């Protein structure tokens, strides 16, 4: 396409046919975007599509829908999807994958973001099922809402090497969730905003090596993190959060930890509003030097498996409470290991039910 000072190279293109675009060269001066995506009706993609057009701007002025039986894989690295303020991406019992590349990312942002960093679009509403996959790799999501939930349980939702910029992110009812090697940026216009929020039943397989940037105006960075998955948290850089970094809470009855876990996130503040259950087949080794585990009143660790915590001189691990007392640890009858080294254990009992 050889274009001279036109707004678009392709105009009024239906989102149903984005899979047909690939390998096009756009030459000359384009004023707005290479492709103007718009439709007068909300028709859904109901078959598998690959959106392969690389290095193009898509101005999206209507909703994009991926419906049951459909699936979208975006491989057009270096492309940007520029959304009008009221535009959404709806995913209804289907898969949605964006696969960029280092230095050639796929970007989802408001159409006026370049000139107005506070511009906003309505964002992603993903409701997928057990056989569906949601993946963002080398993809950036800017100034929007990202709501992701399972119909029953969403099978897999992974975000890696990606950026969430001033984006409200909620993950709910997911069998396998991962956020790794990514950055999350959140502002302080509302002290109750959080970087990442969980709800419903979520199993977190990886929450590591992320940069979570908040301000001290934010009460917390992560809300409702599941306590049975604390072993997935490690290597994160945590900035901001006037009260704590993680509020740990999942729906009752809380699942037991039935595998070997290491709680390794250093220099973090965890407020724990649930019981932590360690099953007979499970174990927890805490190496999170410099971290605080603040248990709410009455909350406890119930350990039928082993529990050990090892800090370091000058970088102890703290088990404590913001209340007068907490439930401490209740050890079962299995003769499991229990040990503390370079640990401050405050205001909570150690109760053993093993006569040995």
């Amino acid at each position: 396409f050889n274009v001279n000072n036109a707004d678009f190279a392709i105009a009024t293109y239906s989102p149903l046919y984005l899979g047909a675009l690939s390998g096009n060269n756009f030459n000359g001066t384009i004023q707005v975007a290479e492709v103007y995506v718009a439709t007068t009706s909300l028709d859904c993609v109901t078959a598998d599509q690959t959106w392969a057009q690389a290095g193009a701007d898509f101005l999206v002025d209507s909703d994009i829908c991926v419906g049951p039986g459909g699936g979208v894989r975006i491989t057009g690295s270096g492309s940007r999807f520029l959304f009008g303020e009221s535009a959404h991406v709806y995913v209804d019992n289907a898969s949605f994958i964006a696969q960029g590349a280092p230095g050639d990312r796929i970007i989802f942002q408001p159409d006026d973001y370049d000139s107005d960093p506070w511009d906003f679009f309505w964002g992603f509403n993903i409701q997928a099922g057990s056989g569906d996959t949601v993946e963002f790799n080398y993809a950036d999501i800017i100034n929007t809402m990202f709501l992701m939930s399972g119909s029953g349980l969403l099978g897999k939702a992974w975000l890696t090497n990606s950026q969430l910029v001033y984006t409200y992110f909620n993950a709910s009812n997911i069998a396998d969730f991962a956020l790794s090697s990514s950055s999350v940026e959140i502002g302080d216009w509302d002290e109750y905003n959080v970087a990442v929020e969980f709800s419903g039943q979520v199993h977190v397989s990886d929450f590591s090596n992320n940069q979570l940037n908040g301000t001290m105006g934010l009460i917390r960075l992560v809300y409702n993190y599941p306590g049975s998955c604390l072993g997935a948290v490690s290597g994160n850089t945590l900035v901001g959060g006037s009260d704590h970094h993680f509020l740990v809470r999942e729906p009752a009855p809380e699942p037991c930890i039935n595998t070997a876990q290491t709680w390794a996130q250093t220099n973090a503040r965890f407020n724990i509003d649930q019981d932590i259950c360690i099953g007979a087949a499970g174990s927890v080794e805490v190496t999170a030097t410099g971290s605080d585990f603040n248990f709410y009143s009455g909350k406890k660790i119930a350990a039928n498996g082993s529990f050990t915590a090892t800090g370091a001189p000058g970088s102890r691990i703290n088990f404590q409470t913001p209340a007068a007392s907490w439930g401490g640890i209740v050890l079962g009858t299995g003769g499991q290991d229990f040990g503390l080294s370079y640990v401050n254990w405050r205001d909570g009992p150690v109760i053993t039910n093993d006569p040995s």
Side-chain angles (χ1 to χ4, degrees), residues 55-244:
D57 283 354
F58 297 85
L59 178 62
V60 182
D61 207 20
S62 60
D63 292 333
I64 292 175
C65 174
V66 186
V72 164
R73 178 184 294 270
I74 305 174
T75 61
S77 55
S79 286
R80 300 193 306 168
F81 293 83
L82 314 176
F83 288 85
E85 182 177 354
S86 60
H88 296 73
V89 178
Y90 293 103
V91 180
D92 179 12
N93 283 283
S95 293
F96 192 92
I97 298 170
Q99 178 64 58
D104 232 357
R105 308 174 77 86
I106 296 170
I107 297 175
F108 304 89
Q109 68 177 55
D111 56 350
D112 290 331
Y113 175 76
D114 290 344
S115 59
D116 179 8
W118 294 105
D119 195 26
F120 183 86
F121 79 97
W122 277 110
F124 290 82
N125 191 335
I126 297 174
Q127 297 185 23
S130 59
D132 298 321
T133 295
V134 177
E135 287 188 50
F136 288 77
N137 191 26
Y138 293 106
D140 299 341
I141 303 163
I142 300 172
N143 285 27
T144 188
M145 298 180 69
F146 193 109
L147 309 178
M148 182 168 52
S149 63
S151 175
L153 281 179
L154 196 165
K156 176 181 176 181
W158 286 7
L159 286 84
T160 56
N161 303 302
S162 295
Q163 296 185 71
L164 299 171
V165 181
Y166 288 176
T167 290
Y168 171 70
F169 182 86
N170 181 281
S172 175
N173 297 327
I174 300 172
D176 183 3
F177 174 86
L179 179 68
S180 64
S181 301
S182 298
S183 67
V184 182
E185 190 89 26
I186 194 72
D188 61 355
W189 55 85
D190 180 345
E191 66 177 356
Y192 295 102
N193 278 343
V194 294
V196 179
E197 180 175 1
F198 295 95
S199 57
Q201 182 182 351
V202 180
H203 175 78
V204 181
S205 59
D206 191 1
F207 197 100
S208 67
N209 301 314
N210 300 298
Q211 174 86 33
L212 274 60
N213 294 318
T215 70
M216 293 307 291
L218 293 171
I219 290 178
R220 64 190 67 86
L221 299 180
V222 181
Y223 188 66
N224 286 349
Y225 186 89
S228 60
C229 303
L230 281 169
V233 184
S234 68
N236 300 288
T237 301
L238 307 168
V239 179
S242 60
D243 190 46
H244 52 275

Side-chain angles (χ1 to χ4, degrees), residues 15-47:
L16 286 177
Y17 307 114
L18 286 170
L21 296 176
S22 67
N24 298 292
N25 294 318
F26 298 97
N27 303 311
T29 303
I30 298 173
Q31 299 296 329
V32 180
E34 280 76 14
V35 183
Y36 176 49
V37 180
T39 183
T40 57
S41 61
L42 182 61
D43 295 320
C44 294
V45 174
T46 56

